[in-house]
Amino acid sequence: MENFEQKLEKLEQLTNDIKRSDISLEDALKDFEEGMKLASGMEQELDKIEGKIQILMSEPNPMTQDNKPAMDDFTDDSEVNGTRR
């Protein structure tokens, strides 16, 4: 799957193609339809990203240098305080 930047470049290319004076009506319509589908998908991606940002921004204690996330769930059970049991 293409990344967002590649999709944006494709959308720009389609937009420029539609603006050409020598493009047929059929080709312009095909490019327009493809561009609308692409733009719709990109809008959905942006909505997901915005939702993630909103969640991160609304956390009561955002992660800072002094407030790092608890890593207890990610440590080996046999290791406690740097020593092995």
Side-chain angles (χ1 to χ4, degrees):
M1 175 173 262
E2 299 177 14
N3 67 29
F4 193 85
E5 289 79 14
Q6 290 170 322
K7 291 176 185 176
L8 184 58
E9 286 179 21
K10 177 66 176 174
L11 187 58
E12 289 173 351
Q13 177 188 350
L14 290 168
T15 302
N16 289 332
D17 286 348
I18 291 171
K19 292 178 183 179
R20 290 187 357 241
S21 61
D22 64 337
I23 191 169
S24 70
L25 183 58
E26 292 82 14
D27 287 342
L29 180 59
K30 180 180 70 83
D31 287 352
F32 180 78
E33 288 179 45
E34 184 179 352
M36 290 301 295
K37 288 178 187 176
L38 192 57
S40 177
M42 292 169 68
E43 185 176 16
Q44 290 175 3
E45 285 183 55
L46 287 174
D47 287 344
K48 287 180 187 177
I49 292 169
E50 183 179 4
K52 289 179 183 179
I53 290 171
Q54 290 296 330
I55 289 169
L56 291 172
M57 295 298 291
S58 66
E59 288 184 1
N61 295 317
M63 190 176 80
T64 62
Q65 185 72 2
D66 298 329
N67 183 27
K68 294 184 179 178
M71 300 301 283
D72 295 338
D73 294 336
F74 303 103
T75 57
D76 185 352
D77 287 341
S78 64
E79 186 177 333
V80 176
N81 296 330
T83 61
R84 295 224 176 244
R85 288 190 207 173

